[in-house]
Amino acid sequence: MPRGLFITLEGLDGSGKTTQIKRLAAWLQRRSLDPIVTRQPGGTATGDRIRALLLDSRSTGLAPMTEMALMFADRAQAIAEIIEPALVAGRLVLCDRFTDSTEAYQGGGRELGSQLILDMHRLICGDLQPDLTLLLLPSLSICLERARRRNVRVAAQTGKDENRFEQEEEAFYQRVWRKYREIAAREPQRVVLIEGNLTIDEVHEQIAEAVAERLITAGHTH
Ligand code: TMP
């Protein structure tokens, strides 16, 4: 059986990733390519516990190295439990965030640098790389405003506090944003950069076009 296809979505908080991943999953389902959809951190029972620890704003004083190591602990579990078995079974995997997030947030935002993250990736994830990464990069001000509004809404509706990252200052997010652009420039074959303040439909069209192209080259269309 041919190996499946691994597609990741990346971007800042409030970049519209969650909306787009749902639309892409529906688009794939209409083409009988029933995807496995997952996210990081989270997606497994252990990963959900790591996620709660990482995102809760009561987790104060977390050292950048701790944060980075927890992201990779979560990822190791997701690879073992979800991603690798699905790819071996020939399935299409859609993952909301992967190592590019660690490079952007911990490497860029927390200033640990790219090399450490890339070395950790090799140690923990081996040679697993996404076949395609869709990077959503609207302007920083739009992302920050949307992320704040969403967090207030989620906290009011569910009592869940996932605000720890949103409490960072703008300079942190500027470093994340710059690191994402750097990754896109370094790996143009893998990373499709979707920039500017586009509508939900416009972003979806660009995503669908990039995915369709990759499905053809990978021989996954019928
Ligand atoms: P989410 O809300 O898109 O699921 O992302 C959770 C938060 O975790 C988001 O602020 C980005 C952050 N994050 C990192 O800092 N490093 C990582 O490796 C991952 C996967 C997420």
Side-chain angles (χ1 to χ4, degrees), residues 118-151:
L118 298 175
D119 290 347
M120 282 293 288
H121 180 87
R122 210 168 313 112
L123 283 171
I124 307 281
C125 315
D127 54 10
L128 179 64
Q129 291 292 349
D131 297 294
L132 172 67
T133 295
L134 302 152
L135 171 55
L136 309 188
L137 224 46
S139 74
L140 186 60
S141 55
I142 288 226
C143 293
L144 292 177
E145 192 196 308
R146 277 199 217 141
R148 278 194 196 114
R149 259 191 280 136
R150 185 198 55 199
N151 276 318

PDB file of all heavy atoms in Angstrom, residues 118-151:
ATOM      1  N   LEU A 118      15.504  22.217  15.126  1.00  0.00           N
ATOM      2  CA  LEU A 118      15.721  21.287  14.016  1.00  0.00           C
ATOM      3  C   LEU A 118      16.465  20.036  14.505  1.00  0.00           C
ATOM      4  O   LEU A 118      16.155  18.914  14.076  1.00  0.00           O
ATOM      5  CB  LEU A 118      16.493  21.973  12.877  1.00  0.00           C
ATOM      6  CG  LEU A 118      15.756  23.178  12.240  1.00  0.00           C
ATOM      7  CD1 LEU A 118      16.638  23.877  11.217  1.00  0.00           C
ATOM      8  CD2 LEU A 118      14.443  22.743  11.591  1.00  0.00           C
ATOM      9  N   ASP A 119      17.401  20.218  15.436  1.00  0.00           N
ATOM     10  CA  ASP A 119      18.118  19.061  16.014  1.00  0.00           C
ATOM     11  C   ASP A 119      17.164  18.188  16.820  1.00  0.00           C
ATOM     12  O   ASP A 119      17.195  16.957  16.727  1.00  0.00           O
ATOM     13  CB  ASP A 119      19.265  19.528  16.932  1.00  0.00           C
ATOM     14  CG  ASP A 119      20.410  20.159  16.140  1.00  0.00           C
ATOM     15  OD1 ASP A 119      20.426  20.010  14.901  1.00  0.00           O
ATOM     16  OD2 ASP A 119      21.271  20.812  16.761  1.00  0.00           O
ATOM     17  N   MET A 120      16.315  18.828  17.620  1.00  0.00           N
ATOM     18  CA  MET A 120      15.328  18.077  18.412  1.00  0.00           C
ATOM     19  C   MET A 120      14.370  17.316  17.491  1.00  0.00           C
ATOM     20  O   MET A 120      14.005  16.173  17.753  1.00  0.00           O
ATOM     21  CB  MET A 120      14.492  19.037  19.285  1.00  0.00           C
ATOM     22  CG  MET A 120      15.187  19.524  20.510  1.00  0.00           C
ATOM     23  SD  MET A 120      15.498  18.216  21.724  1.00  0.00           S
ATOM     24  CE  MET A 120      13.865  17.912  22.351  1.00  0.00           C
ATOM     25  N   HIS A 121      13.989  17.978  16.424  1.00  0.00           N
ATOM     26  CA  HIS A 121      13.076  17.317  15.480  1.00  0.00           C
ATOM     27  C   HIS A 121      13.704  16.023  14.949  1.00  0.00           C
ATOM     28  O   HIS A 121      13.056  14.984  14.902  1.00  0.00           O
ATOM     29  CB  HIS A 121      12.718  18.248  14.309  1.00  0.00           C
ATOM     30  CG  HIS A 121      11.792  17.598  13.319  1.00  0.00           C
ATOM     31  ND1 HIS A 121      10.419  17.636  13.462  1.00  0.00           N
ATOM     32  CD2 HIS A 121      12.037  16.839  12.224  1.00  0.00           C
ATOM     33  CE1 HIS A 121       9.872  16.924  12.485  1.00  0.00           C
ATOM     34  NE2 HIS A 121      10.828  16.451  11.719  1.00  0.00           N
ATOM     35  N   ARG A 122      14.977  16.111  14.588  1.00  0.00           N
ATOM     36  CA  ARG A 122      15.656  14.931  14.042  1.00  0.00           C
ATOM     37  C   ARG A 122      15.710  13.811  15.087  1.00  0.00           C
ATOM     38  O   ARG A 122      15.467  12.652  14.779  1.00  0.00           O
ATOM     39  CB  ARG A 122      17.056  15.310  13.561  1.00  0.00           C
ATOM     40  CG  ARG A 122      17.522  14.435  12.395  1.00  0.00           C
ATOM     41  CD  ARG A 122      18.776  14.973  11.721  1.00  0.00           C
ATOM     42  NE  ARG A 122      18.708  16.394  11.446  1.00  0.00           N
ATOM     43  CZ  ARG A 122      19.454  17.326  12.051  1.00  0.00           C
ATOM     44  NH1 ARG A 122      20.334  17.003  12.970  1.00  0.00           N
ATOM     45  NH2 ARG A 122      19.342  18.590  11.727  1.00  0.00           N
ATOM     46  N   LEU A 123      15.993  14.183  16.335  1.00  0.00           N
ATOM     47  CA  LEU A 123      16.088  13.175  17.402  1.00  0.00           C
ATOM     48  C   LEU A 123      14.736  12.534  17.722  1.00  0.00           C
ATOM     49  O   LEU A 123      14.632  11.328  17.900  1.00  0.00           O
ATOM     50  CB  LEU A 123      16.608  13.826  18.699  1.00  0.00           C
ATOM     51  CG  LEU A 123      18.097  14.103  18.763  1.00  0.00           C
ATOM     52  CD1 LEU A 123      18.413  14.948  19.994  1.00  0.00           C
ATOM     53  CD2 LEU A 123      18.861  12.776  18.852  1.00  0.00           C
ATOM     54  N   ILE A 124      13.712  13.356  17.812  1.00  0.00           N
ATOM     55  CA  ILE A 124      12.406  12.867  18.281  1.00  0.00           C
ATOM     56  C   ILE A 124      11.542  12.359  17.129  1.00  0.00           C
ATOM     57  O   ILE A 124      10.830  11.373  17.266  1.00  0.00           O
ATOM     58  CB  ILE A 124      11.637  13.998  19.027  1.00  0.00           C
ATOM     59  CG1 ILE A 124      12.504  14.610  20.127  1.00  0.00           C
ATOM     60  CG2 ILE A 124      10.277  13.522  19.547  1.00  0.00           C
ATOM     61  CD1 ILE A 124      12.601  13.846  21.405  1.00  0.00           C
ATOM     62  N   CYS A 125      11.587  13.049  16.003  1.00  0.00           N
ATOM     63  CA  CYS A 125      10.642  12.740  14.914  1.00  0.00           C
ATOM     64  C   CYS A 125      11.326  12.046  13.740  1.00  0.00           C
ATOM     65  O   CYS A 125      10.659  11.730  12.749  1.00  0.00           O
ATOM     66  CB  CYS A 125       9.965  14.015  14.410  1.00  0.00           C
ATOM     67  SG  CYS A 125       9.385  15.094  15.715  1.00  0.00           S
ATOM     68  N   GLY A 126      12.637  11.852  13.819  1.00  0.00           N
ATOM     69  CA  GLY A 126      13.355  11.178  12.733  1.00  0.00           C
ATOM     70  C   GLY A 126      13.251  11.984  11.459  1.00  0.00           C
ATOM     71  O   GLY A 126      13.391  13.199  11.461  1.00  0.00           O
ATOM     72  N   ASP A 127      12.953  11.288  10.349  1.00  0.00           N
ATOM     73  CA  ASP A 127      12.884  12.042   9.095  1.00  0.00           C
ATOM     74  C   ASP A 127      11.440  12.338   8.688  1.00  0.00           C
ATOM     75  O   ASP A 127      11.167  12.617   7.525  1.00  0.00           O
ATOM     76  CB  ASP A 127      13.662  11.321   7.974  1.00  0.00           C
ATOM     77  CG  ASP A 127      13.198   9.885   7.809  1.00  0.00           C
ATOM     78  OD1 ASP A 127      12.159   9.536   8.424  1.00  0.00           O
ATOM     79  OD2 ASP A 127      13.858   9.119   7.082  1.00  0.00           O
ATOM     80  N   LEU A 128      10.536  12.286   9.659  1.00  0.00           N
ATOM     81  CA  LEU A 128       9.140  12.626   9.328  1.00  0.00           C
ATOM     82  C   LEU A 128       9.001  14.125   9.054  1.00  0.00           C
ATOM     83  O   LEU A 128       9.270  14.965   9.910  1.00  0.00           O
ATOM     84  CB  LEU A 128       8.206  12.224  10.485  1.00  0.00           C
ATOM     85  CG  LEU A 128       6.730  12.552  10.271  1.00  0.00           C
ATOM     86  CD1 LEU A 128       6.130  11.769   9.106  1.00  0.00           C
ATOM     87  CD2 LEU A 128       5.912  12.297  11.535  1.00  0.00           C
ATOM     88  N   GLN A 129       8.601  14.448   7.835  1.00  0.00           N
ATOM     89  CA  GLN A 129       8.370  15.845   7.446  1.00  0.00           C
ATOM     90  C   GLN A 129       7.021  15.915   6.748  1.00  0.00           C
ATOM     91  O   GLN A 129       6.628  14.965   6.077  1.00  0.00           O
ATOM     92  CB  GLN A 129       9.439  16.314   6.437  1.00  0.00           C
ATOM     93  CG  GLN A 129      10.834  16.465   6.989  1.00  0.00           C
ATOM     94  CD  GLN A 129      10.980  17.610   7.989  1.00  0.00           C
ATOM     95  OE1 GLN A 129      10.080  18.442   8.125  1.00  0.00           O
ATOM     96  NE2 GLN A 129      12.079  17.643   8.706  1.00  0.00           N
ATOM     97  N   PRO A 130       6.325  17.032   6.888  1.00  0.00           N
ATOM     98  CA  PRO A 130       5.071  17.157   6.141  1.00  0.00           C
ATOM     99  C   PRO A 130       5.345  17.123   4.627  1.00  0.00           C
ATOM    100  O   PRO A 130       6.386  17.614   4.170  1.00  0.00           O
ATOM    101  CB  PRO A 130       4.546  18.528   6.562  1.00  0.00           C
ATOM    102  CG  PRO A 130       5.255  18.858   7.828  1.00  0.00           C
ATOM    103  CD  PRO A 130       6.597  18.195   7.735  1.00  0.00           C
ATOM    104  N   ASP A 131       4.427  16.525   3.878  1.00  0.00           N
ATOM    105  CA  ASP A 131       4.542  16.577   2.416  1.00  0.00           C
ATOM    106  C   ASP A 131       4.174  17.967   1.923  1.00  0.00           C
ATOM    107  O   ASP A 131       4.622  18.403   0.860  1.00  0.00           O
ATOM    108  CB  ASP A 131       3.594  15.547   1.781  1.00  0.00           C
ATOM    109  CG  ASP A 131       3.983  14.139   2.179  1.00  0.00           C
ATOM    110  OD1 ASP A 131       5.075  13.704   1.763  1.00  0.00           O
ATOM    111  OD2 ASP A 131       3.241  13.484   2.944  1.00  0.00           O
ATOM    112  N   LEU A 132       3.313  18.627   2.690  1.00  0.00           N
ATOM    113  CA  LEU A 132       2.861  19.973   2.331  1.00  0.00           C
ATOM    114  C   LEU A 132       2.496  20.724   3.606  1.00  0.00           C
ATOM    115  O   LEU A 132       1.843  20.166   4.493  1.00  0.00           O
ATOM    116  CB  LEU A 132       1.620  19.869   1.428  1.00  0.00           C
ATOM    117  CG  LEU A 132       0.881  21.158   1.086  1.00  0.00           C
ATOM    118  CD1 LEU A 132       1.739  22.075   0.218  1.00  0.00           C
ATOM    119  CD2 LEU A 132      -0.429  20.863   0.350  1.00  0.00           C
ATOM    120  N   THR A 133       2.930  21.983   3.678  1.00  0.00           N
ATOM    121  CA  THR A 133       2.573  22.833   4.819  1.00  0.00           C
ATOM    122  C   THR A 133       1.896  24.086   4.285  1.00  0.00           C
ATOM    123  O   THR A 133       2.432  24.761   3.404  1.00  0.00           O
ATOM    124  CB  THR A 133       3.835  23.216   5.629  1.00  0.00           C
ATOM    125  OG1 THR A 133       4.382  22.018   6.196  1.00  0.00           O
ATOM    126  CG2 THR A 133       3.507  24.194   6.743  1.00  0.00           C
ATOM    127  N   LEU A 134       0.705  24.371   4.817  1.00  0.00           N
ATOM    128  CA  LEU A 134      -0.030  25.564   4.411  1.00  0.00           C
ATOM    129  C   LEU A 134       0.155  26.582   5.529  1.00  0.00           C
ATOM    130  O   LEU A 134      -0.272  26.344   6.663  1.00  0.00           O
ATOM    131  CB  LEU A 134      -1.511  25.218   4.225  1.00  0.00           C
ATOM    132  CG  LEU A 134      -1.716  24.097   3.190  1.00  0.00           C
ATOM    133  CD1 LEU A 134      -2.967  23.293   3.472  1.00  0.00           C
ATOM    134  CD2 LEU A 134      -1.727  24.680   1.784  1.00  0.00           C
ATOM    135  N   LEU A 135       0.835  27.665   5.208  1.00  0.00           N
ATOM    136  CA  LEU A 135       1.152  28.669   6.229  1.00  0.00           C
ATOM    137  C   LEU A 135       0.285  29.911   6.021  1.00  0.00           C
ATOM    138  O   LEU A 135       0.410  30.605   5.019  1.00  0.00           O
ATOM    139  CB  LEU A 135       2.653  29.013   6.142  1.00  0.00           C
ATOM    140  CG  LEU A 135       3.167  30.181   6.971  1.00  0.00           C
ATOM    141  CD1 LEU A 135       2.825  30.038   8.442  1.00  0.00           C
ATOM    142  CD2 LEU A 135       4.683  30.327   6.799  1.00  0.00           C
ATOM    143  N   LEU A 136      -0.614  30.161   6.972  1.00  0.00           N
ATOM    144  CA  LEU A 136      -1.512  31.314   6.875  1.00  0.00           C
ATOM    145  C   LEU A 136      -0.892  32.490   7.619  1.00  0.00           C
ATOM    146  O   LEU A 136      -0.666  32.405   8.824  1.00  0.00           O
ATOM    147  CB  LEU A 136      -2.878  30.998   7.497  1.00  0.00           C
ATOM    148  CG  LEU A 136      -3.573  29.710   7.043  1.00  0.00           C
ATOM    149  CD1 LEU A 136      -4.988  29.646   7.591  1.00  0.00           C
ATOM    150  CD2 LEU A 136      -3.593  29.603   5.531  1.00  0.00           C
ATOM    151  N   LEU A 137      -0.639  33.551   6.892  1.00  0.00           N
ATOM    152  CA  LEU A 137       0.041  34.680   7.515  1.00  0.00           C
ATOM    153  C   LEU A 137      -0.627  36.023   7.187  1.00  0.00           C
ATOM    154  O   LEU A 137      -0.059  36.847   6.466  1.00  0.00           O
ATOM    155  CB  LEU A 137       1.512  34.675   7.061  1.00  0.00           C
ATOM    156  CG  LEU A 137       2.595  34.916   8.104  1.00  0.00           C
ATOM    157  CD1 LEU A 137       2.408  34.136   9.377  1.00  0.00           C
ATOM    158  CD2 LEU A 137       3.960  34.678   7.529  1.00  0.00           C
ATOM    159  N   PRO A 138      -1.849  36.243   7.743  1.00  0.00           N
ATOM    160  CA  PRO A 138      -2.420  37.585   7.607  1.00  0.00           C
ATOM    161  C   PRO A 138      -1.610  38.561   8.468  1.00  0.00           C
ATOM    162  O   PRO A 138      -0.681  38.138   9.152  1.00  0.00           O
ATOM    163  CB  PRO A 138      -3.848  37.441   8.151  1.00  0.00           C
ATOM    164  CG  PRO A 138      -3.963  36.116   8.773  1.00  0.00           C
ATOM    165  CD  PRO A 138      -2.686  35.350   8.549  1.00  0.00           C
ATOM    166  N   SER A 139      -1.990  39.849   8.442  1.00  0.00           N
ATOM    167  CA  SER A 139      -1.170  40.807   9.198  1.00  0.00           C
ATOM    168  C   SER A 139      -1.230  40.492  10.688  1.00  0.00           C
ATOM    169  O   SER A 139      -2.215  39.942  11.196  1.00  0.00           O
ATOM    170  CB  SER A 139      -1.659  42.232   8.942  1.00  0.00           C
ATOM    171  OG  SER A 139      -2.870  42.429   9.629  1.00  0.00           O
ATOM    172  N   LEU A 140      -0.174  40.870  11.372  1.00  0.00           N
ATOM    173  CA  LEU A 140      -0.052  40.590  12.796  1.00  0.00           C
ATOM    174  C   LEU A 140      -1.202  41.216  13.590  1.00  0.00           C
ATOM    175  O   LEU A 140      -1.773  40.579  14.488  1.00  0.00           O
ATOM    176  CB  LEU A 140       1.297  41.140  13.285  1.00  0.00           C
ATOM    177  CG  LEU A 140       1.678  40.839  14.713  1.00  0.00           C
ATOM    178  CD1 LEU A 140       1.750  39.348  14.949  1.00  0.00           C
ATOM    179  CD2 LEU A 140       3.023  41.482  15.039  1.00  0.00           C
ATOM    180  N   SER A 141      -1.588  42.445  13.234  1.00  0.00           N
ATOM    181  CA  SER A 141      -2.635  43.117  14.023  1.00  0.00           C
ATOM    182  C   SER A 141      -3.957  42.361  13.915  1.00  0.00           C
ATOM    183  O   SER A 141      -4.681  42.218  14.902  1.00  0.00           O
ATOM    184  CB  SER A 141      -2.788  44.569  13.575  1.00  0.00           C
ATOM    185  OG  SER A 141      -3.028  44.602  12.199  1.00  0.00           O
ATOM    186  N   ILE A 142      -4.276  41.842  12.745  1.00  0.00           N
ATOM    187  CA  ILE A 142      -5.524  41.078  12.571  1.00  0.00           C
ATOM    188  C   ILE A 142      -5.484  39.813  13.423  1.00  0.00           C
ATOM    189  O   ILE A 142      -6.451  39.478  14.099  1.00  0.00           O
ATOM    190  CB  ILE A 142      -5.713  40.714  11.079  1.00  0.00           C
ATOM    191  CG1 ILE A 142      -6.067  41.973  10.325  1.00  0.00           C
ATOM    192  CG2 ILE A 142      -6.754  39.612  10.904  1.00  0.00           C
ATOM    193  CD1 ILE A 142      -7.211  41.860   9.369  1.00  0.00           C
ATOM    194  N   CYS A 143      -4.356  39.104  13.405  1.00  0.00           N
ATOM    195  CA  CYS A 143      -4.235  37.862  14.183  1.00  0.00           C
ATOM    196  C   CYS A 143      -4.428  38.137  15.670  1.00  0.00           C
ATOM    197  O   CYS A 143      -5.170  37.427  16.355  1.00  0.00           O
ATOM    198  CB  CYS A 143      -2.864  37.226  13.993  1.00  0.00           C
ATOM    199  SG  CYS A 143      -2.582  36.620  12.340  1.00  0.00           S
ATOM    200  N   LEU A 144      -3.764  39.167  16.159  1.00  0.00           N
ATOM    201  CA  LEU A 144      -3.809  39.452  17.598  1.00  0.00           C
ATOM    202  C   LEU A 144      -5.227  39.807  18.038  1.00  0.00           C
ATOM    203  O   LEU A 144      -5.705  39.323  19.068  1.00  0.00           O
ATOM    204  CB  LEU A 144      -2.857  40.605  17.949  1.00  0.00           C
ATOM    205  CG  LEU A 144      -1.364  40.292  17.810  1.00  0.00           C
ATOM    206  CD1 LEU A 144      -0.525  41.519  18.103  1.00  0.00           C
ATOM    207  CD2 LEU A 144      -0.946  39.138  18.715  1.00  0.00           C
ATOM    208  N   GLU A 145      -5.900  40.587  17.220  1.00  0.00           N
ATOM    209  CA  GLU A 145      -7.260  41.000  17.584  1.00  0.00           C
ATOM    210  C   GLU A 145      -8.202  39.795  17.594  1.00  0.00           C
ATOM    211  O   GLU A 145      -8.968  39.600  18.540  1.00  0.00           O
ATOM    212  CB  GLU A 145      -7.723  42.045  16.561  1.00  0.00           C
ATOM    213  CG  GLU A 145      -8.985  42.762  16.957  1.00  0.00           C
ATOM    214  CD  GLU A 145      -9.575  43.467  15.750  1.00  0.00           C
ATOM    215  OE1 GLU A 145      -8.833  44.224  15.092  1.00  0.00           O
ATOM    216  OE2 GLU A 145     -10.768  43.219  15.464  1.00  0.00           O
ATOM    217  N   ARG A 146      -8.117  38.948  16.567  1.00  0.00           N
ATOM    218  CA  ARG A 146      -8.989  37.775  16.482  1.00  0.00           C
ATOM    219  C   ARG A 146      -8.729  36.797  17.625  1.00  0.00           C
ATOM    220  O   ARG A 146      -9.645  36.234  18.200  1.00  0.00           O
ATOM    221  CB  ARG A 146      -8.743  37.029  15.173  1.00  0.00           C
ATOM    222  CG  ARG A 146      -9.485  37.618  14.010  1.00  0.00           C
ATOM    223  CD  ARG A 146      -9.555  36.551  12.927  1.00  0.00           C
ATOM    224  NE  ARG A 146      -9.412  37.131  11.615  1.00  0.00           N
ATOM    225  CZ  ARG A 146      -8.736  36.595  10.604  1.00  0.00           C
ATOM    226  NH1 ARG A 146      -8.119  35.446  10.755  1.00  0.00           N
ATOM    227  NH2 ARG A 146      -8.695  37.176   9.444  1.00  0.00           N
ATOM    228  N   ALA A 147      -7.444  36.574  17.936  1.00  0.00           N
ATOM    229  CA  ALA A 147      -7.092  35.618  18.990  1.00  0.00           C
ATOM    230  C   ALA A 147      -7.630  36.089  20.332  1.00  0.00           C
ATOM    231  O   ALA A 147      -8.157  35.301  21.116  1.00  0.00           O
ATOM    232  CB  ALA A 147      -5.588  35.437  19.047  1.00  0.00           C
ATOM    233  N   ARG A 148      -7.539  37.408  20.594  1.00  0.00           N
ATOM    234  CA  ARG A 148      -8.029  37.914  21.883  1.00  0.00           C
ATOM    235  C   ARG A 148      -9.532  37.752  21.994  1.00  0.00           C
ATOM    236  O   ARG A 148     -10.043  37.293  23.011  1.00  0.00           O
ATOM    237  CB  ARG A 148      -7.646  39.389  22.056  1.00  0.00           C
ATOM    238  CG  ARG A 148      -6.232  39.494  22.533  1.00  0.00           C
ATOM    239  CD  ARG A 148      -5.826  40.850  23.057  1.00  0.00           C
ATOM    240  NE  ARG A 148      -4.366  40.854  23.085  1.00  0.00           N
ATOM    241  CZ  ARG A 148      -3.597  41.630  22.326  1.00  0.00           C
ATOM    242  NH1 ARG A 148      -4.126  42.477  21.486  1.00  0.00           N
ATOM    243  NH2 ARG A 148      -2.287  41.543  22.415  1.00  0.00           N
ATOM    244  N   ARG A 149     -10.235  38.095  20.921  1.00  0.00           N
ATOM    245  CA  ARG A 149     -11.707  37.982  20.938  1.00  0.00           C
ATOM    246  C   ARG A 149     -12.119  36.537  21.176  1.00  0.00           C
ATOM    247  O   ARG A 149     -13.009  36.239  21.943  1.00  0.00           O
ATOM    248  CB  ARG A 149     -12.287  38.479  19.614  1.00  0.00           C
ATOM    249  CG  ARG A 149     -12.835  39.895  19.740  1.00  0.00           C
ATOM    250  CD  ARG A 149     -13.629  40.280  18.527  1.00  0.00           C
ATOM    251  NE  ARG A 149     -12.744  40.685  17.436  1.00  0.00           N
ATOM    252  CZ  ARG A 149     -12.890  40.308  16.177  1.00  0.00           C
ATOM    253  NH1 ARG A 149     -13.876  39.498  15.830  1.00  0.00           N
ATOM    254  NH2 ARG A 149     -12.059  40.723  15.250  1.00  0.00           N
ATOM    255  N   ARG A 150     -11.436  35.604  20.476  1.00  0.00           N
ATOM    256  CA  ARG A 150     -11.777  34.187  20.606  1.00  0.00           C
ATOM    257  C   ARG A 150     -11.553  33.687  22.031  1.00  0.00           C
ATOM    258  O   ARG A 150     -12.370  32.978  22.588  1.00  0.00           O
ATOM    259  CB  ARG A 150     -10.967  33.354  19.623  1.00  0.00           C
ATOM    260  CG  ARG A 150     -11.377  31.899  19.634  1.00  0.00           C
ATOM    261  CD  ARG A 150     -10.330  31.011  19.029  1.00  0.00           C
ATOM    262  NE  ARG A 150      -9.043  31.197  19.684  1.00  0.00           N
ATOM    263  CZ  ARG A 150      -7.881  30.841  19.149  1.00  0.00           C
ATOM    264  NH1 ARG A 150      -7.851  30.326  17.954  1.00  0.00           N
ATOM    265  NH2 ARG A 150      -6.770  31.028  19.805  1.00  0.00           N
ATOM    266  N   ASN A 151     -10.469  34.122  22.633  1.00  0.00           N
ATOM    267  CA  ASN A 151     -10.176  33.639  23.982  1.00  0.00           C
ATOM    268  C   ASN A 151     -11.186  34.122  25.005  1.00  0.00           C
ATOM    269  O   ASN A 151     -11.566  33.380  25.901  1.00  0.00           O
ATOM    270  CB  ASN A 151      -8.763  34.036  24.403  1.00  0.00           C
ATOM    271  CG  ASN A 151      -7.781  33.026  23.874  1.00  0.00           C
ATOM    272  OD1 ASN A 151      -8.051  31.835  23.923  1.00  0.00           O
ATOM    273  ND2 ASN A 151      -6.685  33.493  23.337  1.00  0.00           N
TER     274      ASN A 151
END
